[in-house]
Amino acid sequence: MIILKTPEEIKKLRTANLIVARALAKLKKMIEAGITTLELDSVAEKAVRAEGARPSFKGYKGFPSALCASVNHEVVHGIPSKRKLKDGDIVKLDLGSEYEGYYGDSAVSVAVGEVSDRALRLMETTRESLYKGIEQARAGNHLSDISHAVGSFVESRGFSVVQDYVGHGIGRAPHEDPQIPNFGPPGRGPLLKEGMVLAIEPMVNCGTHRVELLDDNWTVVTKDRELSAHFEHSIAITENGPEVLSELDG
Ligand code: MG
Ligand code: MG
């Protein structure tokens, strides 16, 4: 069941998501060769707590950290470690918060120093595909119009979309209905309505779409160990169309 949110609830969700957005903006500025993903995790946790929120990933199903930090061929759910980032890496930062019972969730991919043209194109395509999806998040459209907009754009650029992990509704729980695949035909699934709040999150690979889980039971990697990128925004469907909740002005 898809839970519709009132304007007051959307306001709380905006607050939770802006806390995530500010933390991610801070982390992005710190990305350079030599920093560890554990240091980033510590800054992320402090930034979220400083705003009176709780890092929602920490302890979720036993996840040990505030931040998911996934490097290069790691797709999502990477556990922060003493590993140092190096020039040419791409790192995916995924962060969640809970503020007064409402959840925020957003992710970005960031280049470390100079990265390959392919990596840049992958990241840019993924970011752009997210906005293609957001553009379809309007009352009266079908859910899979979002999926199709993301997937068809990614494929037109010669990359592949991860199928085993998907976007989701978000509200008083970090994951709610509906699941939002990033591929498939348009015009299917539930009709979108005002008051729906969705976390749209394309995960895009350079090579095969296939992924596998590492022995730590968290880190998802590409099967062929080629690069992967990830961007995520939480958005609300309003009478004026989609409103991105996890984006800072300017
Ligand atoms: Mg996320
Ligand atoms: Mg999410």
Side-chain angles (χ1 to χ4, degrees):
M1 191 189 67
I2 304 175
I3 303 166
L4 300 181
K5 279 79 184 179
T6 65
E8 292 71 32
E9 288 181 303
I10 289 174
K11 208 171 157 186
K12 298 249 184 178
L13 287 162
R14 187 183 296 115
T15 303
N17 276 290
L18 286 177
I19 290 168
V20 171
R22 284 191 283 270
L24 287 176
K26 190 168 187 180
L27 296 180
K28 274 173 84 171
K29 287 188 193 148
M30 297 173 59
I31 298 295
E32 60 177 9
I35 197 164
T36 69
T37 50
L38 209 53
E39 289 172 87
L40 296 172
D41 176 60
S42 164
V43 170
E45 174 157 4
K46 284 188 188 114
V48 168
R49 290 198 190 281
E51 300 211 50
R54 180 180 69 80
S56 57
F57 296 169
K58 195 163 188 171
Y60 181 75
K61 296 182 179 172
F63 190 75
S65 311
L67 182 72
C68 290
S70 311
V71 182
N72 296 337
H73 64 277
E74 296 170 355
V75 179
V76 285
H77 306 162
I79 300 173
S81 71
K82 289 180 179 165
R83 164 190 198 152
K84 287 188 167 110
L85 295 178
K86 53 185 199 316
D87 263 331
D89 283 344
I90 66 172
V91 60
K92 282 77 70 173
L93 307 171
D94 191 353
L95 184 64
S97 77
E98 183 245 303
Y99 177 78
E100 294 184 358
Y102 292 84
Y103 284 82
D105 192 357
S106 182
V108 290
S109 298
V110 189
V112 185
E114 287 269 307
V115 303
S116 67
D117 287 347
R118 196 162 185 238
L120 278 179
R121 190 170 153 82
L122 173 72
M123 290 193 292
E124 188 47 40
T125 297
T126 308
R127 203 186 69 84
E128 218 175 319
S129 77
L130 168 59
Y131 284 92
K132 299 275 182 201
I134 290 171
E135 183 54 33
Q136 295 301 316
R138 295 174 180 279
N141 278 0
H142 285 270
L143 181 68
S144 87
D145 293 340
I146 298 173
S147 311
H148 179 72
V150 173
S152 59
F153 179 74
V154 166
E155 280 158 20
S156 77
R157 292 286 179 93
F159 296 117
S160 67
V161 157
V162 172
Q163 301 187 357
D164 291 359
Y165 296 85
V166 297
H168 50 92
I170 183 166
R172 295 187 70 99
H175 296 111
E176 294 182 352
D177 285 343
Q179 294 200 342
I180 312 169
N182 293 300
F183 60 95
R188 311 236 173 125
L191 274 176
L192 299 178
K193 293 182 182 156
E194 271 176 42
M196 288 182 179
V197 178
L198 308 173
I200 304 173
E201 50 177 318
M203 289 146 267
V204 176
N205 297 349
C206 269
T208 178
H209 73 272
R210 294 176 69 202
V211 298
E212 61 189 21
L213 189 62
L214 293 186
D215 286 341
D216 64 14
N217 272 320
W218 279 108
T219 313
V220 177
V221 297
T222 53
K223 192 110 184 162
D224 56 11
R225 304 301 191 264
E226 291 277 349
L227 290 179
S228 185
H230 179 209
F231 282 86
E232 175 179 25
H233 272 311
S234 295
I235 66 101
I237 300 178
T238 74
E239 60 180 348
N240 302 316
E243 182 192 332
V244 182
L245 302 178
S246 49
E247 194 164 58
L248 302 175
D249 289 337

